[in-house]
């Protein structure tokens, strides 16, 4: 069970850059083999570009990598993989800045944020072993390592096919008379294609200097 607010308003704008698997595993302190296994088992998956089979390249956000680091820390403490997954799910709504100020409590069954000493006292009163993880400390460790890694800058973009408005009747007239060879196919079908960072091919990414 994951405890906390029913609908926490912790979201932030989407990431403006991502990191390849090698950088993600390095910053999280795990092997690439672990990274691959956790992605395939849906424990910690890359939120920007998931793997779509052999040859595809994953792209992890900063928050993803912090979650990887938290997962490793909990496993090192002896928490089961099942409960590690719960902790990762608990952190999912938190944005990059919010994660910097989070400490979580886990007793092997429940996960919650440690907002004050009351939460810790409640866990201890139950008589169970309690694991306390400072997500903020791991955030700083990840940030320090990634500062020396290559980031992939994400382009928030929308492709506009025309620089000015063309009346629909003109387009339809051109189509009817067979003079549509120079019109973009999207215009002929009444659509304009838009892409954001989460559904574009990797060849539109720039390397952040």
């Amino acid at each position: 069970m994951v405890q906390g607010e029913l609908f926490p308003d912790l979201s932030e704008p989407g990431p403006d850059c991502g990191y390849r698997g090698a950088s993600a595993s390095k910053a999280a302190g795990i092997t690439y083999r672990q990274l691959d296994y956790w992605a395939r088992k849906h424990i910690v998956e890359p939120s920007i570009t998931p793997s779509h089979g052999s040859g595809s390249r994953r792209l992890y956000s900063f928050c993803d990598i912090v979650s990887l680091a938290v997962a490793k820390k909990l496993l090192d403490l002896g928490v089961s993989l099942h409960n590690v997954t719960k902790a990762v799910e608990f952190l999912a709504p938190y944005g990059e800045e919010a994660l910097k100020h989070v400490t979580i409590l886990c007793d092997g069954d429940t996960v919650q944020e440690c907002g004050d000493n009351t939460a810790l006292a409640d866990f201890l009163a139950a008589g169970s072993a309690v694991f306390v993880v400072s997500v903020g400390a791991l955030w700083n460790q990840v940030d320090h390592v990634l500062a020396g890694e290559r980031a992939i800058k994400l382009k928030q973009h929308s492709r506009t096919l025309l620089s000015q408005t063309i009346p629909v009747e003109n387009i339809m007239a051109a189509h009817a008379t067979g003079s549509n060879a120079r019109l973009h196919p999207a215009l002929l079908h009444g659509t304009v294609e838009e892409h954001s960072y989460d559904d574009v091919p990797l060849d539109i990414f720039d390397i952040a200097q």
Side-chain angles (χ1 to χ4, degrees), residues 194-208:
E194 287 191 359
H195 291 291
S196 62
Y197 64 84
D198 58 347
D199 62 2
V200 293
L202 292 181
D203 58 7
I204 66 102
F205 295 142
D206 288 338
I207 303 301

Side-chain angles (χ1 to χ4, degrees), residues 30-53:
I30 61 176
T31 66
Y32 192 88
R33 185 174 181 178
Q34 283 178 297
L35 183 83
D36 181 64
Y37 179 80
W38 291 356
R40 288 187 288 107
K41 294 298 182 180
H42 310 294
I43 298 167
V44 182
E45 298 180 87
S47 61
I48 298 177
T49 306
S51 176
H52 294 293

Side-chain angles (χ1 to χ4, degrees), residues 119-199:
L120 179 58
D122 290 343
F123 267 80
L124 293 174
S128 302
V130 180
F131 303 98
V132 182
V133 176
S134 172
V135 180
L138 295 173
W139 191 104
N140 288 324
Q141 292 176 25
V142 167
D143 186 56
H144 177 73
V145 175
L146 290 180
E149 296 295 308
R150 187 175 67 171
I152 309 300
K153 186 176 180 181
L154 307 178
K155 285 185 177 179
Q156 298 279 1
H157 78 295
S158 174
R159 290 188 291 179
T160 303
L161 299 175
L162 294 180
S163 59
Q164 59 183 1
T165 302
I166 296 179
V168 173
E169 57 269 22
N170 289 7
I171 297 175
M172 298 306 295
H175 180 53
T177 58
S179 59
N180 55 24
R182 294 185 180 180
L183 294 180
H184 194 282
L187 290 177
L188 301 180
H189 296 289
T191 62
V192 176
E193 188 176 4
E194 287 191 359
H195 291 291
S196 62
Y197 64 84
D198 58 347
D199 62 2

Side-chain angles (χ1 to χ4, degrees), residues 94-114:
Y94 288 76
E96 184 175 322
E97 285 303 311
L99 282 175
K100 192 175 183 179
H101 309 287
V102 173
T103 296
I104 59 171
L105 300 173
C106 177
D107 64 357
D109 183 44
T110 60
V111 180
Q112 71 178 58
E113 182 174 357
C114 181

Side-chain angles (χ1 to χ4, degrees), residues 67-81 83-88 91 104-106 111 131-133 138:
S67 291
L68 287 168
V70 170
K72 178 187 184 298
K73 184 66 175 180
L74 288 171
L75 287 172
D76 289 347
L77 291 171
V79 178
S80 70
L81 195 58
N83 289 318
V84 167
T85 303
K86 289 183 180 180
V88 172
L91 294 174
I104 59 171
L105 300 173
C106 177
V111 180
F131 303 98
V132 182
V133 176
L138 295 173

